[in-house]
């Protein structure tokens, strides 16, 4: 039977872009394949090709939106690479000593254009990063898969007549809802429609349904156990195992996302005139079976951006396993750990002392250095590594989006200028991201702390540090 491809690409819009030199927020423009278009064009304009559409032919032209998006970066090529960093040390040192940050703290600030270290304190000490490890996961996934890669969910014929198998590929954007509350992604609704069409075209209107989630191996539960912040990690999960219309934040999850997804798919087939006999049961798709229908995820760039903006643990664990699949490792916590480490090493960053026990940062066994985090952010800003750019464009904007919406907001000098990934576990607080300083340099920073007696006070201390990087030349 012919393959029926399903494309459910729903256009959205970015709510904010940045006009940094004027310190005001402007419209960022539409999303394009999961990336904030204006920011992507700005980043492309730094490249040696001028950010042109090469398919149009002729000489490359500068992206027309670039000057209006980040004019504060226009002077970066003229920066004095030997500019003193004493100003940062004088300001950050006392702030880093704030007892509210806890008993252990580390810091790193680098100029992304030159790689020059502007400030360091215990930057080589590996610490528990909490959710800032998602910068690691994002970098590894983009490097291993590429920003345009999509994850497929398919339906294949089963081993016997009248049998079909729903095969999970690990798509964390897969939804069973008629209209995805999170935007574009794999659609069980469209997959069911295409499957029903293919079955009826072949003279079949009654089937038994199996489901195959064997792509992932090892433990299904995260090592922290049952937790409202993450569903069991399976290769076949719709709507992140959420029972409601929520798209982020903690909520009680399904105990068996694979089976629940198969049940939802069976109901969708019945709605489209295909009788499904019995309960869906776990089955293995026959080797080499050609799909009857398929649906595809949001591109990896979009998955990365959503993961970073909303600190989405389910997407993080799915992307870590996709890195393992790409590397030929078992798609398990252990296989992902090995594959991520190898991929980062191939990027040329120092992973000594690091451990990537999971992709989300929920595991306290994770260890990274501030030097590693700023190194990855600098790689993402490198015009020679455009595939890593979503690491930067996905970071929340201080005072406006995601997990930074209420931090460094209002009259803070960092509001609208700072982009960073937050990290919070009990006794662990971290912040890592980018900012353009008053002299026009794009700086990457990372602050890791542990042992803070009060999480709220620690976050305020981290916000003061980040704001200081924003305002200090």
């Amino acid at each position: 039977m012919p393959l029926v491809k399903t494309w459910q690409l729903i256009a959205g819009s970015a709510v904010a872009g940045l006009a940094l030199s004027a310190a005001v927020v402007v419209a960022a423009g539409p999303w394009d394949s999961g990336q904030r278009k204006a920011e992507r064009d700005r980043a492309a304009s730094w490249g040696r090709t001028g950010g042109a559409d090469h398919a149009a032919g002729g000489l490359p032209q500068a992206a027309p939106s670039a000057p209006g998006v980040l004019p504060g970066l226009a002077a970066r090529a003229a920066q004095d690479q030997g500019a003193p960093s004493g100003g940062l040390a004088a300001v950050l040192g006392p702030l880093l000593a704030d007892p509210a940050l806890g008993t252990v703290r580390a810091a790193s600030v680098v100029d992304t254009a030159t790689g020059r270290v502007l400030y360091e304190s215990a930057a080589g000490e590996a610490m528990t990063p909490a959710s800032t490890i998602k910068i690691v996961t994002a970098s590894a996934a983009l490097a291993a898969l590429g920003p345009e890669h999509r994850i497929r969910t398919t339906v294949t014929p089963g081993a016997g007549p009248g049998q079909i198998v729903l095969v999970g590929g690990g798509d964390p954007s897969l939804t069973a809802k008629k209209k995805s509350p999170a935007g574009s992604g794999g659609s069980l609704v469209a997959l069911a429609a295409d499957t029903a069409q293919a079955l009826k075209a072949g003279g079949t209107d009654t089937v038994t349904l199996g489901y195959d989630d064997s792509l992932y191996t090892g433990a299904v539960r995260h090592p922290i156990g049952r937790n409202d912040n993450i569903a069991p990690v399976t290769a076949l999960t719709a709507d992140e195992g959420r029972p409601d219309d929520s798209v982020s934040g903690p909520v009680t999850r399904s105990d068996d996302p694979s089976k629940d997804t198969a049940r939802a798919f069976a109901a969708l087939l019945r709605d489209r005139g295909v009788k499904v006999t019995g309960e869906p049961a776990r089955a293995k798709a026959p080797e080499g079976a050609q799909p009857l229908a398929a649906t595809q995820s949001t591109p990896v760039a979009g998955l990365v951006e959503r993961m970073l903006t909303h600190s989405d643990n389910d997407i993080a664990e799915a992307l870590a396993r996709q890195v393992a699949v790409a590397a030929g490792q078992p798609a398990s916590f252990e296989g992902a750990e090995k594959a991520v480490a190898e991929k980062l090493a191939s990027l040329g960053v120092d992973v000594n002392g690091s451990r990537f026990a999971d992709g989300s940062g929920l595991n306290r066994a994770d260890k990274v250095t501030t030097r590693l985090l700023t190194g990855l952010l600098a790689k993402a800003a490198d015009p020679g590594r455009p595939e890593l750019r979503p690491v930067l464009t996905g970071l929340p904007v201080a005072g406006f989006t995601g997990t930074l919406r209420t931090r460094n907001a209002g009259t803070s000098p960092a509001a609208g200028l700072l982009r960073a990934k937050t990290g919070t576990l009990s006794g662990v607080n971290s912040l890592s991201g980018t900012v353009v300083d008053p002299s026009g340099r794009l700086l990457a920073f990372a602050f890791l702390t542990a042992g803070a007696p009060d999480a709220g006070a620690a976050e305020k201390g981290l916000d003061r540090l980040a704001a200081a990087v924003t305002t200090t030349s």
Side-chain angles (χ1 to χ4, degrees), residues 248-262:
S248 63
V251 67
T252 300
R253 310 301 184 88
S254 165
D255 286 330
D256 191 345
S258 295
K259 189 162 191 175
D260 286 349
T261 300

Side-chain angles (χ1 to χ4, degrees), residues 18 20 23 25 39 70 392 394-401 403-405 407-409 412-422 431-437 442-447 459 462-471:
L18 306 179
L20 294 180
V25 176
E39 291 175 316
L70 291 178
L392 302 187
L395 294 172
V397 181
F400 289 92
T401 62
T403 56
L404 281 189
R405 186 175 60 83
R407 293 177 61 174
N408 265 320
S412 167
L417 303 180
L418 177 84
R419 310 198 71 142
K421 182 69 200 74
T422 58
L431 191 67
S432 181
T434 63
V435 71
V436 177
D437 76 357
L442 180 66
L443 308 184
F445 67 86
F447 303 112
E459 286 183 356
L462 289 170
D463 290 346
R464 284 190 288 271
L465 282 163
V469 178
T470 307
T471 57

Side-chain angles (χ1 to χ4, degrees), residues 353-364:
S354 298
R355 185 183 174 193
F356 314 113
D358 70 0
S360 62
L362 292 171
N363 195 330
R364 291 177 181 273

Side-chain angles (χ1 to χ4, degrees), residues 11-67:
S13 63
V15 297
L18 306 179
L20 294 180
S21 62
V24 295
V25 176
V26 298
W31 288 67
D32 184 357
S33 297
Q35 295 178 290
R36 293 180 178 89
K37 191 173 187 300
E39 291 175 316
R40 185 192 61 182
D41 290 345
R42 179 268 300 172
S45 75
W46 297 352
R48 300 175 182 89
T49 62
D53 180 359
H54 292 265
L59 293 175
Q61 299 297 317
S65 63

